[in-house]
Each structure stands twice: as C-alpha cells, then as structure tokens.
Amino acid sequence: MSIDLVLTYVAFFVLAAITIIGGLLVAFVRNIMHAALALMMAFMGVAGIYLLLEAEFIAAVQVLIYVGAIAVLILFAIMLTRGLMTRTLPPENNQWLAAGGLALLLFVALVYIAVTTHWPVGTQALAGTDLIPKIGTELVTTYVLPFEVASILLLTALIGAIVIARE
Amino acid sequence: MDILNNLFPNIYNALNDFFHGLLRGANLRPDAESFIVSLIMGLIVVVFLVAISPFLMLSLTWVERKVVARIQNRLGPNRVGPWGIFQIFADMIKMLTKEDIVPANADRWVHFLAPVVTMIPITLILAVIPWGRGMAPADLNIGVLYVIALSSLGTVGIFMAGWGSNNKFALIGGMRAVAQIISYEVPQVLAIVAIVLLAGSLSLVDIVKLQGGWAGFRWFLFAIPVGPIAFVVYMISAIAEVNRTPFDLPEGESEIVAGHHTEYSGMKWGLFYMAEYLNLFVVCAIAATLFLGGWQGPLLPPWIWFFVKTLLLILIAMWVRGTFPRIRMDQLMKFAWQVLVPVALVNIVLTGLALPIFKAIGLI
C-alpha cells in the first residue's frame, strides 16, 4: 500500500471519529450549549471528509454555512431564549422511544442504500481547477429553478423572522 | 536585486534539494522519500507562519500605540529602548508570566478552548495569502471562499468566551460581538463578490496576477466605479469585523469592562489580543491582495510591496481608530443593513453591467 493511501485511511478514521463523537455528544450531553458546540465539531468533521474527497468547494461551503451560519444561529437562539442557557435539561423526553425508532429506521435505510448502490469508481483525478465555474454555470442554467426557489424560501424565512421579531 | 526578489522561493527550493539529498543516502522508496521531504518542508512553512504571528502582533501593538499617541498629542511608549521599541518584549514577558485565573463558576472546558478556537481560523488564513511572487504557501482554487469560510468561524470563539466565563459583561460583549460580526460579514462578502466577478477566479494567486501591468492602474481599486465602492465597503466592514473603534462596542471599556475577554488573564488573554491584531493584519492583507494588486509593484521585491501595502491599510485603520468616537448599537446595525448592504448589492449589479466595458478596454 502506498503512503498516500495509508494517510488517506488514517485521515478518514480520525475525521469519522470526530464526526461520530460530535454527533453522540449532541444527542447525550445534558447542557444544551455544549450540545450546540459538539454539533459544530461534527460539522467540521464532515467538512474534513469532503476535503478528503477532493471536494474543496463543498468543504468550504460546509464550513461557511453549517458552522459559520447555522451553528452560530443555534447558539444565538439558545442565548436569547430565557432560562434555556443556565438550566441543564434532560436530553430525552417521553417521546424518546419513537425518536430512537425513527432514527434506527433512517440508519437502516441509509445503510441499505449505501450497500446496494453501484458506486462508479474513476481512476483519473477529478477536473480540479475548472470545477467551480462548472458548478456556477450549472446552477444558473440547468438547476436555475431549484436555485431560485431556494432563494425565495430563504427570503420568505428572512421576512418572516423580521415580522415575528417586530411584534 | 534578483536575489532579493526570489529570496524566499530560493531558500525553499534549496532546503527542498538539501533534504532530498540527505535522504537519497537512505535508499528509501521514491514515494517515501518525497513524502518525508514534503512533510518536513510543510512543517517548516507552518512553523514559519505560526512564528511570525506573535512577531506581527507585537510590532503592530507598538506601531498602534505610537500612532494613536501621536494622534492624541502624546508621546506613547518611550522608556524601554529607543522610541520604546523594546516595550514589545516587556509586554510579552508580562503576558507570559501573569497568573492564569479561571473563574470559579466558569465552564472550564469552554473557557479553556475559547482562545484556541479564536486563534486557529485566523492562523489558517495565513496559509493562502500570496506573500510575494510564488510565495503563497497554498494556492487553493477556492482561496477567496476559504478566507470567507474561516473568518466566519471567528464568532464561535467569541461566543464560547462570552458564555464560558459566566460573567454578565462577558456575555453581553459576546452577544454584541457576534451580532456585529454576522451583520458586517454580509456587506464584506458582497463587496468581495464584485472583485471575484471582475477576476473570474476564486484563487488569490490568480487575482493578484490579473492586476499586473499598466503601471498599477490595473489594480481592481481603479476599476472605476465598482472597484472603489467595493474597497470602501470592504474596509468599513473589515474594521467592524475586527472590533476596532469606531465599531468596538463588544469591548467598550466604559460600558462593559472588556467584553468577551473580561474573565481572561495571562496568556489566554494574550491569545485573544494576538487574534485581534492578527485579524487586523489578515483583513488588510486580503484587502491589499484583492484591491491593491497584492505583491505587484516596481523596483522593490514583491514581498516588500505586499508588506508596504498591507501596512498602509493598517495605518489607515489606526488613523480611523484615533479619529472617530464609538458609535451606538442601533447606529451600528442600521449602518450595516440599510447603507452597506444595499450599496454592495447595487455594486454587484453595476459590476455585471460594467464587465463588457472592462473586457473591451482590456482591463480584465
């Protein structure tokens, strides 16, 4: 086995461990603030795995949106909710059985899909440098409708948040 | 002159050859040899970059104290060494030897990790800055996006510090900082988008290369009218993003002690301080790269040009600090969302309209 491959495996297992430990902490930690920080850790692990797959663009976007925006928003929401910050909450309520069952079902479905799908394996490197212009062009030609629908959705959410905050 | 121009790339290549020569005797597999050499060279570059951060921070604090003192008609530090230049070492020793206090009710882990989390993203940004010709430690094809993504992480450390300290001033300061940084990130990114449109590339190395020639009039700053607008919007948001006066509400001494780092002392506080000045350096370096042609310039070696431009922008930021009073929270928010964001958005539309003209005159 070449050194590159060994390193790739090592990096993958380290990143996978970061992601999984982060995910477990989110689910089982009693302090909601710690849970939010652990969520960031899991997001960073996923970004690392994207990097390992040579998807730099997706990795950067993952960090920018999931860690820099969504997780920070969650932190903000926790801080602005009275009493949520200092209290330690039990991580489960009376619906834990149903939630666990659903999560297990999702896990089984994902494993099934991962095992049965035929994953094409290429031998040559990805078209690295001109990948980003391609993503941009595709977004405003082939996928222009989903792209615009997503932006309208976000705009609606933005206006809705402002309206709620004003009341 | 030529030696100075390529000083650092030559040192790099010489070291690279040296380690290759050293390992050739060991008769390793070729991939093992190149792996070990690239590991050593990578470590050297990383150590170099990490080592200059405290140096940059200390010299910037000295410059700032001198400049602000002049503006305020004072002398500034002048006791330790000529012009007080050794003040920076005195400060360093003070910082390293101070007691590290953790509040009794603080969240230990969060309190401990906050300065580290603040420091790491900023140090990582140093890796993509083109310091000179052929001197970008890593030329990423997503360079600009990488910078934006990492600087968006700066809020996390501040949040952790504000919350983990279990102190009301720290909490208020942290909230203020995050609200401010998130708001000013938007116009900052929108201003950068105009430049990305002009350059047609996200790589910082390419963006610098595109600005060569025409005796400096190819700098994106001179892409009238969109360049200057983007530059002004970027610089204002950048100063707000690094929490400097007039946008220093998160640590306004007269209101909330020291904001998010109220409960920090010793080297942990030093890390926050370092992050602040390094952040200032990074945003000015990025501004120099995007708007002022990076290392492009006549006569002097490229890396000196880069530092000259960056320092000029830092001096402007210090000048602003010495001149303007702190603004109010509502003014801060209003200015970001009702002035900077619309201006930046209109600027993007203008850039789109001006692109054919710029192409016709050969600017891009």
Side-chain angles (χ1 to χ4, degrees), chain B residues 47-83:
Chain B
V47 167
F48 187 72
L49 284 180
V50 173
I52 62 168
S53 354
F55 169 75
L56 273 175
M57 165 262 196
L58 288 168
S59 34
L60 283 182
T61 53
W62 180 78
V63 172
E64 169 132 54
R65 287 171 76 170
K66 275 293 187 193
V67 170
V68 173
R70 284 288 152 190
I71 292 172
Q72 296 168 346
N73 210 2
R74 298 183 284 119
L75 286 174
N78 63 351
R79 289 282 167 249
V80 199
W83 309 290

Side-chain angles (χ1 to χ4, degrees), chain A residues 1-3 7 31 33-34 37 40 44 56-57 60-61 63-64 67-68 72 75-76 79-80 85 128-129 132, chain B residues 29 31-32 35 107 110 141-142 145-146 148-150 152-153 155-156 159-160 163 171 175 178-179 182 202:
Chain A
M1 225 167 19
S2 75
I3 289 175
L7 285 178
N31 186 326
M33 201 74 181
H34 288 175
L37 292 173
M40 282 186 185
M44 287 305 274
E56 292 102 346
F57 181 76
V61 169
V63 172
L64 180 63
V67 188
V72 170
L75 287 180
F76 231 115
M79 279 185 147
L80 291 176
M85 216 167 58
T129 40
I132 294 158
Chain B
R29 286 196 338 218
D31 65 330
F35 165 70
D107 191 318
V110 179
N141 55 4
I142 49 152
L145 199 62
Y146 174 90
I148 296 171
L150 283 175
S152 77
L153 292 185
T155 48
V156 179
F159 234 136
M160 289 168 73
W163 183 76
L171 191 60
M175 300 266 271
V178 177
I182 290 176
L202 285 171

Side-chain angles (χ1 to χ4, degrees), chain B residues 301-321:
Chain B
W303 48 278
I304 291 190
W305 267 115
F306 171 78
F307 277 103
V308 166
K309 287 168 183 172
T310 308
L311 269 178
L312 196 75
L313 292 176
I314 292 174
L315 283 178
I316 292 176
M318 289 173 178
W319 181 19
V320 168
R321 176 185 167 167

Side-chain angles (χ1 to χ4, degrees), chain A residues 75-162:
Chain A
L75 287 180
F76 231 115
I78 295 169
M79 279 185 147
L80 291 176
T81 311
R82 192 172 300 158
L84 199 56
M85 216 167 58
T86 44
R87 232 184 322 148
T88 50
L89 303 159
E92 74 278 337
N93 58 11
N94 52 12
Q95 292 169 333
W96 66 271
L97 202 66
L102 270 179
L104 196 68
L105 209 65
L106 180 67
F107 180 71
V108 169
L110 285 176
V111 168
Y112 176 74
I113 291 168
V115 170
T116 53
T117 310
H118 169 70
W119 301 98
V121 178
T123 45
Q124 68 270 58
L126 293 170
T129 40
D130 48 350
L131 206 60
I132 294 158
K134 256 183 214 154
I135 294 175
T137 319
E138 287 292 310
L139 268 185
V140 289
T141 52
T142 321
Y143 301 105
V144 69
L145 192 66
F147 183 68
E148 288 300 324
V149 168
S151 40
I152 288 173
L153 181 73
L154 287 176
L155 185 68
T156 318
L158 201 68
I159 295 171
I162 293 171

Side-chain angles (χ1 to χ4, degrees), chain A residues 15-28:
Chain A
L15 290 168
I18 289 175
T19 314
I20 290 173
I21 292 172
L24 288 176
L25 284 175
V26 174
F28 293 112

